[in-house]
Amino acid sequence: MVKANLIFLNNKAMNEQGVLDMHKAIIDVEKTYMLNWKGDVINPGKCVLRWGKTIEDENVLGRINAMPGYVGGDYDMAGIKWIGSGPMNYKEGLPRASVTVVLNDPKTKLPVCIADGTAVSTIRTGASGGVAIKLLAKSNAKVMTICGAGAQAPTQLEAALIARPSIEKLFIYDIKKENAQKFADIVKEKYSKLEVFVVDNPEQATRESDIIDCVTLASEPFIKGEWLKKGALVMNMADYEVDNECVKKADKLVVDFWEGIKHRMISTVALMWRDGLVKDSDIHAELGEILCGEKSSRENDDEIIYFNAVGAGILDIAIVSRCFKSAKENGKGIIVPFWE
Ligand SMILES: NC(=O)c1ccc[n+]([C@@H]2O[C@H](COP(=O)([O-])OP(=O)(O)OC[C@H]3O[C@@H](n4cnc5c(N)ncnc54)[C@H](O)[C@@H]3O)[C@@H](O)[C@H]2O)c1
């Protein structure tokens, strides 16, 4: 007799349950940031299974991150995101990142769902960028630069255009120009009203931009604070991408999860904290704090704001949980007898 089933949702089933819906993802991510701020989550942080000894090694040999968590509120779901990053996978035509999400019933702790979370990961990172832009970018932001034209770039742009439909000009910079060009071609096709430029160097683009969104694999900063204009929002979505001056010049430092950022210890603001150049009290707010109305968002068009996101499994768990509930209601997914 089967005592416990779980549902398996592959990428196609996840798509059918609305995983690619950016509007819904933004709501999930906002709700999760707020639940986190109110203490209605368990978010123990990332465990990194790292190959090699340095960041440079890791950027070649790869890593697998385990991100467990529990999300309260109407999600009421536990689980884990297990994300592999193989930087050399492209040589075999495979994606760099692959994600599996396991959901567990918070009462019995038994697994209830195993889902492909690859799209969730890019969608929720886009949604996080979108929430940051909604709260922190100039209200009529017109010019955006995206640095890093990989898997994250399309969802960063999609969410940015939801948060700021006023964006009319996009610069794309990538260390591999062919990646930038490929992304530019897709963008031109999809958003015909957007003016799109591929740049060889990020300086002029940064000087013109209201939003500079970095989603690269950089381990050496390539965006300089001296290039930031008044009112700029600089988004450090990955590792060591922007120089210390970007942080020093900012009127506000905003993050997604400060403890997670310090634990990961790889972004500009984290490294500055380690070196005593940034104190805990220098962090203006986490996004959840702003969403709960306890801290201010952007207050005028002149402020320069630095934003850093490390991400957390609870964001993925919230989105997968919505898709899992939808699959159950609609009788979708493959039912696997877990315990006979
Ligand atoms: N903050 C979060 O929540 C979150 C979530 C997911 C991914 N990430 C991070 O985002 C980054 C990008 O992820 P992805 O899946 O798009 O990776 P990807 O490998 O698909 O794309 C990365 C792109 O960055 C470019 N690049 C690498 N080094 C560069 C440099 N020095 N300057 C300019 N461009 C450079 C590459 O050529 C590539 O086109 C990764 O570091 C990943 O860890 C962050």
Side-chain angles (χ1 to χ4, degrees), residues 39-319:
D40 195 8
V41 305
I42 305 172
N43 187 20
K46 259 181 209 179
C47 169
V48 183
L49 182 59
R50 181 179 285 127
W51 276 258
K53 292 196 170 71
T54 63
I55 296 175
E56 287 74 20
D57 286 348
E58 186 181 330
N59 282 342
V60 176
L61 301 173
R63 62 177 181 257
I64 313 181
N65 290 346
M67 301 158 82
Y70 163 78
V71 190
D74 48 15
Y75 295 100
D76 191 26
M77 186 63 75
I80 188 165
K81 173 185 185 181
W82 184 226
I83 172 165
S85 170
M88 295 300 126
N89 285 2
Y90 72 93
K91 292 184 179 168
E92 292 167 48
L94 294 169
R96 184 185 64 79
S98 60
V99 187
T100 309
V101 174
V102 180
L103 297 181
N104 295 71
D105 182 313
K107 287 185 198 73
T108 64
K109 317 293 188 280
L110 282 167
V112 291
C113 177
I114 296 177
D116 171 64
T118 310
V120 182
S121 191
T122 52
I123 289 284
R124 70 88 156 142
T125 309
S128 295
V131 174
I133 289 172
K134 185 169 150 187
L135 300 172
L136 307 173
K138 274 165 67 174
S139 56
N140 68 339
K142 290 196 163 37
V143 185
M144 176 172 187
T145 295
I146 293 186
C147 301
Q152 304 298 331
T155 55
Q156 289 296 313
L157 179 62
E158 183 183 0
L161 292 172
I162 291 173
R164 287 291 178 275
S166 53
I167 295 170
E168 49 195 38
K169 191 172 181 181
L170 175 71
F171 293 109
I172 304 172
Y173 168 69
D174 195 290
I175 204 163
K176 288 189 193 142
K177 196 170 177 185
E178 65 273 21
N179 290 7
Q181 194 54 59
K182 213 162 123 190
F183 179 48
D185 293 342
I186 295 167
V187 173
K188 284 179 197 164
E189 180 88 23
K190 190 166 176 192
Y191 308 100
S192 55
K193 286 192 184 141
L194 211 53
E195 277 188 279
V196 184
F197 302 92
V198 169
V199 293
D200 291 322
N201 173 314
E203 179 174 349
Q204 197 47 40
T206 302
R207 287 188 186 279
E208 267 194 56
S209 290
D210 302 305
I211 301 167
I212 303 101
D213 186 344
C214 301
V215 268
T216 72
L217 306 179
S219 50
E220 285 290 331
F222 58 89
I223 298 291
K224 294 188 179 175
E226 66 186 71
W227 302 339
L228 299 177
K229 68 172 186 177
K230 274 188 180 177
L233 166 65
V234 60
M235 300 166 64
N236 183 184
M237 296 300 291
D239 302 342
Y240 195 28
E241 308 177 285
V242 309
D243 75 1
N244 289 7
E245 189 59 23
C246 287
V247 172
K248 285 189 201 150
K249 202 171 169 182
D251 298 289
K252 286 190 174 113
L253 306 180
V254 179
V255 296
D256 59 351
F257 303 104
W258 182 225
E259 291 307 316
I261 285 170
K262 290 191 288 186
H263 180 76
R264 179 90 173 100
M265 193 45 71
I266 206 163
S267 64
T268 309
V269 73
L271 296 171
M272 288 177 75
W273 177 85
R274 180 198 63 192
D275 297 340
L277 302 171
V278 164
K279 300 188 292 297
D280 289 335
S281 57
D282 292 330
I283 303 302
H284 169 70
E286 292 194 354
L287 289 179
E289 224 173 335
I290 299 177
L291 288 162
C292 288
E294 291 177 27
K295 285 281 176 71
S296 56
S297 54
R298 171 176 288 277
E299 288 165 280
N300 62 60
D301 277 355
D302 286 343
E303 279 181 319
I304 291 178
I305 301 184
Y306 165 90
F307 172 69
N308 180 214
V310 67
I314 49 176
L315 301 170
D316 301 71
I317 290 165
I319 294 178

Side-chain angles (χ1 to χ4, degrees), residues 1-8 110-114 333-340:
M1 192 179 87
V2 179
K3 286 214 160 179
N5 285 320
L6 59 77
I7 294 183
F8 175 72
L110 282 167
V112 291
C113 177
I114 296 177
I334 298 169
I335 294 177
V336 181
F338 177 71
W339 196 256
E340 294 198 29

